[in-house]
Amino acid sequence: MRFASSPAIRAVVGVVISVVALGIAIQGVDLGRTADVLRSAAPGWIAAMLGFSILDVSLRAVRWQRLLAPIRRIAYPRMLGYLLVGYLANNVLPARLGELVRSHYLGDREGISRTTALGTVVVERVIDTTAVVLIASAAILVLHVRGVVANAVLVGLAVSAALVVGLAVGIVAHRLPFADRVLARVERWPTIVSLGSRLRGGLAVAANPRTVGAAVVLTLLAWSMSVLAFAAAGQAVGVELTIGEAAFLSSGVALATAIPSAPGYLGTFELAAVSVGQTFGIPAGQAFALALLAHAGILIVTSAGGAIAVLRLGWAAGVRGPEAAVSPPRSSGGPASG
């Protein structure tokens, strides 16, 4: 008899990781002083932080819209809503399960295969991870950072390279020499074959240079907004970050939140921010206050936006029809109109 399902185990592991990370983050931190710093935070800079966070999310919605364009053109307001629903789910579910939620949410309402939609999310994650690692690597060189944090970024660089290779293999897997033998073995499970074909249909958008180029540009713009949001959060609590420091802080936090944790990345976000902040001399108390403010801003924007999206789009599945098979997108030329 099974006493725990796999999702339950992942949730427990995530909570444990978050509790341990949060415990490490607050070591040596005067929580009373941190509360005082947050109470005296500059409202103008908090407003700027929230504004940059909103622009960040808005650009990410455009990016997903562009990635889906070869498959189906979707109006931007709905695209933004689907993305925000996924972010809201990430805030209340462990292990970044919001990525699955937004794929299903979009698929149910747009008549697109949910698996194909998930394929575009995978492409998005690979581009995002690669950009974050490159930003962090550049910041390490500019700031001359050494130690554990720098080593973690180097590990991230290796993981990013592996993800890019994996994505390339996923796109051309059906053309590899051993593909026929593999297909012959799995053809007895038509559901798996169908899911694999639909997933490849989403991954194949990465073979479109114009689509990937637009996604890369939008990714860099979105991360620029994230960097400015962290810089504004620092100003709000009396920490003047250079652009390089803010870039390292935002990218370091992003890499840390890739680790499975409790909902909302609680603990891993704060530990990463404190650890990175201390590498360029920010006292633990101020770094923790900065982390709490930046984290709260992100949660407020994504949770409020996600709640509004659910109210506007509805939660019931199948509004626009069941999952439909979608032909793989073209590998060259511009986005197709839908």
Side-chain angles (χ1 to χ4, degrees):
M1 180 178 180
R2 296 180 63 186
F3 292 95
S5 64
S6 179
I9 292 174
R10 288 198 299 269
V12 171
V13 171
V15 169
V16 170
I17 290 173
S18 286
V19 170
V20 172
L22 191 59
I24 296 173
I26 62 175
Q27 285 184 350
V29 173
D30 184 341
L31 297 180
R33 173 59 182 160
T34 297
D36 292 337
V37 171
L38 290 173
R39 277 193 292 267
S40 61
W45 283 112
I46 293 176
M49 176 193 72
L50 294 174
F52 288 129
S53 294
I54 291 171
L55 289 173
D56 180 7
V57 173
S58 300
L59 287 165
R60 293 174 190 275
V62 178
R63 178 182 63 184
W64 196 22
Q65 183 188 41
R66 293 290 296 178
L67 286 172
L68 271 164
I71 300 168
R72 176 76 56 81
R73 284 197 181 276
I74 300 174
Y76 177 75
R78 295 203 307 274
M79 201 78 245
L80 178 61
Y82 300 144
L83 181 71
L84 285 167
V85 167
Y87 285 166
L88 174 61
N90 274 336
N91 293 342
V92 298
L93 297 174
R96 301 187 74 97
L97 292 177
E99 311 297 5
L100 295 176
V101 170
R102 64 168 159 136
S103 300
H104 280 247
Y105 199 79
L106 179 145
D108 284 337
R109 284 153 182 77
E110 299 295 337
I112 297 174
S113 162
R114 295 188 293 268
T115 310
T116 299
L118 180 60
T120 65
V121 172
V122 171
V123 174
E124 177 194 279
R125 291 292 89 208
V126 172
I127 294 173
D128 218 30
T129 301
T130 302
V132 168
V133 171
L134 291 177
I135 290 170
S137 300
I140 285 176
L141 295 176
V142 171
L143 300 173
H144 305 290
V145 176
R146 299 291 185 271
V148 175
V149 175
N151 292 336
V153 172
L154 293 177
V155 171
L157 188 61
V159 171
S160 178
L163 288 174
V164 172
V165 172
L167 176 60
V169 171
I171 294 172
V172 302
H174 62 296
R175 300 178 182 175
L176 297 176
F178 54 82
D180 291 340
R181 293 196 298 273
V182 174
L183 288 174
R185 292 185 179 183
V186 300
E187 64 182 3
R188 69 187 71 177
W189 297 293
T191 300
I192 294 178
V193 174
S194 176
L195 287 174
S197 176
R198 293 180 183 187
L199 179 62
R200 192 175 67 249
L203 296 177
V205 300
N208 187 322
R210 290 180 61 183
T211 297
V212 173
V216 169
V217 171
L218 289 164
T219 297
L220 295 176
L221 290 173
W223 277 108
S224 296
M225 295 302 103
S226 180
V227 169
L228 292 175
F230 271 88
Q235 291 284 355
V237 296
V239 178
E240 295 188 7
L241 297 170
T242 67
I243 292 300
E245 290 170 345
F248 192 25
L249 190 58
S250 61
S251 57
V253 166
L255 290 173
T257 54
I259 300 171
S261 61
Y265 323 117
L266 179 66
T268 53
F269 188 108
E270 286 72 20
L271 177 58
V274 171
S275 299
V276 172
Q278 288 182 311
T279 62
F280 34 80
I282 301 177
Q286 274 189 303
F288 189 61
L290 192 162
L292 290 177
L293 183 60
H295 198 177
I298 293 169
L299 292 177
I300 288 170
V301 168
T302 54
S303 296
I308 292 170
V310 170
L311 291 174
R312 184 170 62 85
L313 298 171
W315 185 251
V319 173
R320 291 178 174 268
E323 174 168 330
V326 177
S327 299
R330 298 193 301 265
S331 59
S332 62
S337 59

